[in-house]
Amino acid sequence: MRWGSLIIPVLLAVADALLVNGVTFGLELNVSLVAAAALLVRRKLPALVFLVTLPGILIGYVWFAPMIALYTVARLRPDRRLLGISALLLAAAHFIPWPVSDFEPTAYRQNTLTLIDACVTSVGPIALGLLVRTRGELAARIEDLTRSRRHADELIAEQVLSTERARLAREMHDVVAHQVSLISLQAGAVQISAEDAKAREGARTIRELSVRTLDELRHMVGILRAAGGDHEELTPQPRLADLPRMIELSALNVNFETDGATRRPGHPEAVERAAFRIVQEALTNVRKHAPGARVTVRVNEAEAARQEAANGPAQEAEDATQEAQETQEAAEKAEETGGLRVEVRNGPPDASAVAPGLPGGGHGLVGLRERAQLLGGTLEAGPTEEGGFVVRADFPKTPRVTGTA
């Protein structure tokens, strides 16, 4: 096709020269054939080839060669000044007869028709050349836009996949780590209390397998943060109403305090799910790092938090404890968010309790803080003066997002 687009215009120009000037060599035919042959290099030297073809229309009265050359100039060298000069030169070469002495200034009708033909001959190739060039530029720009949009879609898909991977990693850590650590704790209790040697050996094996499972889970969480995951919810997600059952199964000394927030509807699903995961992860951390400690779990509405804030200073003046100050600060934050407050506080570990020796992946509190921030809330965690630990989260009434936390 490339060679065809190069040779076919030359053949048309040669045919035009032969039809107009015959097959007898002379000045007119020779000039016309030179103009036709010059078209072979029109893509490399479009302006020079156009100048070479002008004698063909002036002397040999051929149209194809100069018009094709002017079209090439317009397509490859779209300079306004160059196109204007080229159009004037082609119109002049078409309008002025050869020899020049044959020009009759008084032949108004003939001169007008010739001038119109000259203008059409010069303007037509330029318009066509600019049209083809513009079409090519638009096609290239559309291709670039399509490529850019495809790349943007890929980046968005990767970002969504990365967010989903992080969510799945948090879900795996929260659910599996909680259950496996509970299994390990129960196996440790059986290992200590069982009288039968085989039972103790079986409990020890279960405990070792639990520790190994949590260690593998830690690696799997890292893999999920760097690999794809399923975008569908495969099982019903826990809500605040599931907290009492989960606390009951935790095998910890837990005091659960709530103003009915776990039973009243109206909280967004994402907030309830995040609150459940925070309590679950906090209890898992208690089993890991503070075995035998007493735990207090509080889940309150914002209104209850304001009432507690009002009673906080009086209690602080009465017993001068650090807990009253922390309660006051937490209540103020709950009042700002105006939604739900979740607090898990544990005391120091029991020295006589056996630590389960469960591995930690380091993603627990980080994932909980990400959950809270994703919903527009806050999460604080740190040690207490009594040697324990406290995890406190505040959620707004209307979270920023409700589908991925």
Side-chain angles (χ1 to χ4, degrees):
M1 292 182 61
R2 181 178 179 182
W3 284 102
S5 63
L6 180 64
I7 297 299
I8 290 177
V10 177
L11 297 178
L12 291 176
V14 171
D16 183 29
L18 295 176
L19 290 174
V20 173
N21 300 292
V23 294
T24 304
F25 287 101
L27 178 63
E28 292 82 1
L29 181 59
N30 294 338
V31 171
S32 301
L33 292 177
V34 169
L39 295 179
L40 291 172
V41 294
R42 67 185 186 277
R43 294 176 179 175
K44 294 183 178 180
L45 303 171
L48 181 60
V49 169
F50 171 71
L51 293 177
V52 173
T53 60
L54 286 179
I57 192 172
L58 176 65
I59 300 175
Y61 298 102
V62 292
W63 287 13
F64 279 6
M67 292 179 67
I68 293 174
L70 184 57
Y71 160 81
T72 306
V73 172
R75 190 169 68 88
L76 300 181
R77 301 287 188 272
D79 181 75
R80 293 183 178 180
R81 183 177 302 178
L82 176 62
L83 293 179
I85 295 175
S86 299
L88 290 177
L89 290 176
L90 182 59
H94 189 184
F95 179 75
I96 298 175
W98 181 263
V100 181
S101 59
D102 292 344
F103 180 70
E104 297 181 3
T106 57
Y108 300 111
R109 182 175 179 275
Q110 183 66 31
N111 292 338
T112 302
L113 293 175
T114 305
L115 181 60
I116 294 175
D117 290 342
C119 293
V120 173
T121 303
S122 60
V123 173
I126 293 178
L128 183 60
L130 292 178
L131 178 63
V132 173
R133 179 181 178 86
T134 303
R135 182 180 179 275
E137 292 177 349
L138 290 177
R141 186 168 301 178
I142 291 175
E143 184 178 357
D144 291 340
L145 290 176
T146 303
R147 190 182 302 110
S148 300
R149 178 171 295 181
R150 188 183 303 113
H151 182 63
D153 292 340
E154 292 175 356
L155 292 179
I156 293 174
E158 291 178 0
Q159 183 178 3
V160 172
L161 188 60
S162 177
T163 303
E164 188 67 12
R165 287 197 301 263
R167 187 188 68 82
L168 289 173
R170 291 196 301 266
E171 293 292 336
M172 173 174 287
H173 185 278
D174 293 341
V175 176
V176 182
H178 175 77
Q179 301 296 337
V180 175
S181 61
L182 183 58
I183 293 173
S184 177
L185 184 64
Q186 297 289 352
V190 173
Q191 184 181 359
I192 295 174
S193 61
E195 298 180 357
D196 185 53
K198 291 185 178 181
R200 289 197 301 270
E201 181 65 21
R204 185 186 65 80
T205 302
I206 293 175
R207 190 175 180 188
E208 290 179 356
L209 291 175
S210 300
V211 173
R212 188 181 306 170
T213 300
L214 284 179
D215 191 35
E216 294 177 356
L217 174 64
R218 175 167 55 89
H219 295 287
M220 186 60 65
V221 169
I223 293 174
L224 279 176
R225 289 180 178 269
D230 189 5
H231 289 250
E232 299 293 333
E233 296 287 356
L234 300 180
T235 58
Q237 295 301 298
R239 306 291 291 265
L240 287 179
D242 301 316
L243 272 179
R245 178 61 177 168
M246 189 267 292
I247 293 174
E248 181 182 353
L249 296 175
S250 66
L252 295 174
N253 186 6
V254 181
N255 179 27
F256 182 43
E257 300 177 2
T258 180
D259 59 353
T262 59
R263 296 185 299 271
R264 285 197 296 269
H267 297 289
E269 180 181 355
V271 171
E272 292 197 11
R273 186 192 311 172
F276 182 93
R277 295 306 185 195
I278 287 173
V279 176
Q280 187 181 58
E281 176 64 22
L283 295 182
T284 301
N285 289 337
V286 171
R287 278 194 295 271
K288 290 181 181 179
H289 309 295
R294 296 180 59 86
V295 185
T296 301
V297 177
R298 296 190 182 96
V299 180
N300 297 326
E301 300 276 4
E303 182 64 28
R306 285 192 288 270
Q307 294 176 0
E308 189 176 351
N311 298 330
Q315 182 180 359
E316 180 183 1
E318 181 178 356
D319 50 22
T321 61
Q322 181 67 20
E323 183 177 358
Q325 295 179 357
E326 295 176 356
T327 301
Q328 173 71 16
E329 295 174 358
E332 292 176 356
K333 289 188 177 182
E335 185 175 0
E336 292 175 359
T337 56
L340 188 69
R341 178 162 61 90
V342 179
E343 179 180 292
V344 181
R345 181 188 298 269
N346 65 272
D350 188 355
S352 61
V354 179
L358 299 174
H363 303 290
L365 291 178
V366 175
L368 297 183
R369 186 170 286 108
E370 289 177 357
R371 284 178 180 273
Q373 293 176 354
L374 187 64
L375 296 171
T378 59
L379 184 137
E380 294 181 353
T384 62
E385 289 187 354
E386 295 81 9
F389 201 83
V390 60
V391 177
R392 184 184 300 111
D394 298 298
F395 297 98
K397 286 184 177 179
T398 304
R400 285 202 293 256
V401 296
T402 59
T404 58

